[in-house]
Amino acid sequence: MGPLHAPSRPSTAKRARRFDPRRVAFRRARYGPGILLLCAAGVLFAAVRRRPRRSSARAGDTPCTWLQAVVDEMSDGIAIMDAGGRIAVESRCLRVLAAGEPLARDRFGNRVTIDLRRPWGDRVLPDDSPIVRAMTHHQTTQASEFAVRRADGETVPVLVSAAPIHGADGTLAGAAMIVRDISARRAREQLREEWASLIVHDLQQPISAIVLRSDLILGSSDLSAHLRDAVWHIRSMALRLSSMVNDLNDSSQLETRRIRMKLARLELGAVAREVVDHVPDGAARTTLRLPIGRLLFVQGDADRLEQAMANLLSNALKYGAPGTEIVLELCERDDHAEVLVTNSGPGIPADELPRLFDRYMRSRTVRRDGPRGLGLGLYIAKGLVEAHGGRIWVDSEQNRTTFHFTIPLDAPAARVAQTPRIEAGATPQHPLNQSRA
C-alpha cells in the first residue's frame, strides 16, 4: 500500500473496514499462529516420512534432529507430539518460557515444564493443556489468550494454537502447539489505550461545561418556549455524548485491565431495584423477579454491577419489541447468583451469537434499522462481570432473547420473609433521566 498522501489511497469507508477490530482479529487468527501451525505439521510429516537423501547429509543426522534444528530457528515456541503422545520436538523459544523444575506429568508421561495459566490467573492442569486436548479430544485451539509464568517469576501473555495432526489415511499421527509471546504487542496496545483514555478524559471537560451552562440557562425565567426547547435539546445531546465518552473510557480501562473495583458485601436484589428505578423507561416495562424468601449476597462493586445490569436492561428495552414486557430475574444457581434479562422481539442470528460480546460489535439488523450506538454496552458488561469472577452468555430464539450472567455468592443465600416482586407498570421515569448504560 502506498503512502497515505498517494492519490490512490483507499476511501475512508474502506480504511474503516480494514481496521475494524473483528476483521483484524480474523486476520490475526487466520494468518498468524494458524499458518505456523500448519507449517509445523507439514515439517513433521516431511521429517518423519523421509530421511535425508542428499549425499552431503552428515552421518548420524535423523529426521528428528533435523526438525529440531528447524524449529529452534523459529521465533515462536513449538511443541510436537508423536502418535503415542510423547513430546518429540520442543523448540528453544518454548524452553525459554519454562518455569524451571517440572511441575507435573501429563497423562502421556511428559514432564510439564510450562506453567500455563488462564488470562485471569488460574493454572491450566496438565491434562487440560491445548496440546493434550488436541490428542485426547481432537480439539483445535486457535490463537487463544493464555499467560505463562516463567522461572524468574515474570508472567508473559501468550497466544496458543494447537491442533491434532492426521496422516494420509486419517489416523491420528500426533499434535502440534504454537506458543506466541505477545508482550510487545500488549505493551503497544496498552500505550494506545492509555492515549485513548487521556483523550476521553479531555473530552469530558467541554461536555461537562455544556451541560452546566445549559442548566444555568434553563434556570432562567425569561426564556421563550422555543429557546427553552432548543437548550433542552442541546443538554440532552450533551448527556448522550457524555454517556458515549464514558463507554469509550470504560472499554479502554477494561482492555488495559486498569479498571478500578471497590469490592464490598452487597445484596444483589437491592442493586437490581436501583437499576429498574434509574434506567429510562425501566420501571414502566420491567418485571423484577426476586427469589422468594432469599437474599443473594455477593462481593462486588455496587456501581459496576449496576452498570453491567443496566447495560443489559437498556439493551433489552432498546431492541425488544415496543411495549412488550422485560423480565429481570435473580436466582441462586449452585454457589452463584444468576441474573437473567429477557425480552421479546426478533431473535439474534445464530452466526452472530459467538461475537455478540466483542468490542464494537453490532448486529446487522441493528446497524440497518435499530438505534445508533457504539457497540460497547455488551462488551463492557462482559468485562465487568468477568472482573467479578463471573461469566456471561446469551440464549436467543425467535421472539425471545435472554442474557445471563453469574456472580459467585459471598455466602449461602440468607433466608428472609417473602419478598414481593415489582410488577410492570410502575411510575415511569422522566425521559431525560440518564444512566451509564
Side-chain angles (χ1 to χ4, degrees):
M1 190 179 87
L4 292 178
H5 61 269
S8 59
R9 69 180 181 179
S11 66
T12 300
K14 288 183 179 179
R15 292 201 302 274
R17 288 196 298 271
R18 178 181 301 168
F19 293 104
D20 181 272
R22 290 167 291 169
R23 292 174 179 262
V24 172
F26 175 77
R27 289 199 299 270
R28 285 175 179 170
R30 183 176 179 181
Y31 300 116
I35 292 296
L36 290 175
L37 187 60
L38 293 177
C39 290
V43 170
L44 173 65
F45 285 125
V48 171
R49 296 178 183 275
R50 299 181 187 178
R51 297 185 64 85
R53 296 181 179 180
R54 295 184 180 180
S55 58
S56 60
R58 293 177 299 175
D61 275 357
T62 64
C64 279
T65 58
W66 175 76
L67 179 59
Q68 183 69 56
V70 171
V71 299
D72 278 346
E73 296 302 318
M74 294 186 176
S75 59
D76 293 331
I78 298 174
I80 301 176
M81 279 184 172
D82 60 22
R86 183 179 63 88
I87 295 291
V89 176
E90 189 175 71
S91 71
R92 181 186 298 115
C93 286
L94 196 62
R95 293 194 294 272
V96 169
L97 295 173
E101 294 297 323
L103 303 172
R105 290 183 180 270
D106 62 25
R107 66 174 58 195
F108 300 109
N110 299 300
R111 296 191 305 168
V112 178
T113 59
I114 302 298
D115 187 0
L116 193 64
R117 296 172 180 258
R118 306 289 180 187
W120 51 88
D122 291 351
R123 178 173 289 170
V124 177
L125 297 177
D127 289 344
D128 286 335
S129 70
I131 192 169
V132 172
R133 293 191 67 83
M135 284 291 295
T136 58
H137 294 75
H138 295 216
Q139 177 178 311
T140 298
T141 303
Q142 184 66 15
S144 296
E145 284 199 32
F146 289 87
V148 170
R149 184 73 62 83
R150 297 193 314 199
D152 58 7
E154 182 181 355
T155 299
V156 179
V158 295
L159 286 181
V160 178
S161 296
I165 300 172
H166 296 282
D169 57 355
T171 58
L172 185 65
M177 179 173 71
I178 304 291
V179 180
R180 170 168 292 181
D181 184 346
I182 57 171
S183 300
R185 192 183 81 184
R186 182 63 56 77
R188 291 193 299 269
E189 290 176 351
Q190 183 168 349
L191 285 175
R192 184 192 65 211
E193 296 297 339
E194 288 177 353
W195 175 83
S197 181
L198 289 174
I199 296 300
V200 165
H201 180 268
D202 289 343
L203 282 174
Q204 279 291 13
Q205 294 180 352
I207 293 172
S208 299
I210 293 172
V211 174
L212 179 61
R213 295 298 177 91
S214 299
D215 288 338
L216 292 174
I217 295 173
L218 288 171
S220 175
S221 59
D222 56 353
L223 279 181
S224 66
H226 176 71
L227 287 177
R228 185 174 295 276
D229 288 343
V231 175
W232 195 271
H233 182 70
I234 291 172
R235 180 183 182 275
S236 64
M237 289 298 100
L239 287 173
R240 181 174 180 271
L241 182 59
S242 177
S243 177
M244 295 170 65
V245 170
N246 280 333
D247 283 349
L248 286 171
N249 185 46
D250 288 342
S251 68
S252 295
Q253 290 183 349
L254 286 169
E255 189 73 14
T256 55
R257 294 172 173 81
R258 292 187 299 109
I259 197 157
R260 296 178 181 178
M261 310 288 288
K262 298 179 181 178
L263 299 182
R265 182 176 167 85
L266 305 171
E267 201 283 296
L268 207 56
V271 177
R273 291 190 186 94
E274 288 289 327
V275 170
V276 173
D277 287 341
H278 290 96
V279 170
D281 296 329
R285 291 179 53 188
T286 304
T287 296
L288 177 60
R289 295 178 180 169
L290 303 177
I292 298 175
R294 308 284 277 177
L295 293 177
L296 304 179
F297 289 97
V298 300
Q299 279 288 333
D301 185 308
D303 291 338
R304 294 303 187 179
L305 282 178
E306 184 175 338
Q307 181 182 358
M309 211 177 294
N311 281 4
L312 297 183
L313 184 58
S314 297
N315 189 75
L317 290 165
K318 284 191 292 186
Y319 304 123
T324 57
E325 178 191 44
I326 308 297
V327 177
L328 174 58
E329 182 178 1
L330 273 62
C331 63
E332 183 180 0
R333 192 81 64 192
D334 298 328
D335 56 348
H336 288 70
E338 182 174 352
V339 179
L340 304 88
V341 180
T342 303
N343 70 277
S344 301
I348 302 169
D351 63 316
E352 294 183 350
L353 290 176
R355 299 182 291 110
L356 198 61
F357 296 97
D358 289 352
R359 201 177 188 187
Y360 305 118
M361 169 62 186
R362 303 192 77 217
S363 171
R364 295 187 298 270
T365 305
V366 171
R367 290 197 301 268
R368 184 177 63 248
D369 305 320
R372 292 176 296 176
L374 295 175
L376 290 174
L378 295 180
Y379 171 81
I380 291 172
K382 178 177 184 289
L384 294 176
V385 168
E386 291 180 347
H388 283 84
R391 68 185 188 95
I392 189 169
W393 71 98
V394 59
D395 298 323
S396 186
E397 57 189 24
Q398 188 63 30
N399 298 324
R400 184 181 179 88
T401 297
T402 301
F403 285 87
H404 311 248
F405 74 82
T406 59
I407 298 290
L409 286 170
D410 186 45
R415 293 186 178 275
V416 295
Q418 180 171 338
T419 304
R421 71 179 188 177
I422 300 175
E423 300 290 348
T427 305
Q429 299 294 305
H430 193 282
L432 286 178
N433 281 353
Q434 300 295 318
S435 74
R436 301 190 67 188

